[in-house]
Amino acid sequence: MMYVTLAGAILAEILATTSMKLSEGFSKLWPSLGAVAGYLIAFALLAQTLKTMNMGTAYAIWAGAGTAVVAVIGMFFLGEAVTAARIGGVLLVIAGVVVLNLGGAH
């Protein structure tokens, strides 16, 4: 169940970050409300996850997955440049999460 809660936290954070971009500096109402609601949900679900999962593991998965997916959304849906450096960076984030998990996820 902790992975389901963590997945919800990750999804909410991704939606919140994307909404923040679409809010154009919080000048558009609905994307702004989406960003605020998304982050509230993300942190609430992450807090629930931390009751049963190691903090380092949970945060590494949450932050790494969110970072990687948001970078991909930016490149493929929001017109940000697709470069070898960006793709390499996303792969390094994923590798970092894997290494942290292999180092003692409980």
Side-chain angles (χ1 to χ4, degrees):
M1 187 64 179
M2 67 183 170
Y3 285 104
V4 172
T5 307
L6 182 57
I10 293 165
L11 179 62
E13 189 268 335
I14 292 165
L15 293 172
T17 302
T18 304
S19 293
M20 190 183 329
K21 170 67 173 171
L22 298 174
S23 78
E24 296 183 12
F26 293 111
S27 65
K28 292 185 174 183
L29 178 63
W30 293 113
S32 299
L33 293 175
V36 171
Y39 282 120
L40 287 173
I41 293 166
F43 284 117
L45 291 173
L46 183 60
Q48 292 303 308
T49 302
L50 292 175
K51 289 181 177 180
T52 56
M53 184 182 277
N54 176 291
M55 182 175 68
T57 301
Y59 193 75
I61 295 169
W62 182 73
T67 299
V69 173
V70 166
V72 169
I73 288 170
M75 287 187 283
F76 292 102
F77 298 104
L78 299 176
E80 296 178 4
V82 179
T83 65
R86 284 184 180 218
I87 293 169
V90 169
L91 293 174
L92 285 171
V93 167
I94 293 167
V97 170
V98 170
V99 169
L100 283 170
N101 281 303
L102 291 176
H106 297 289

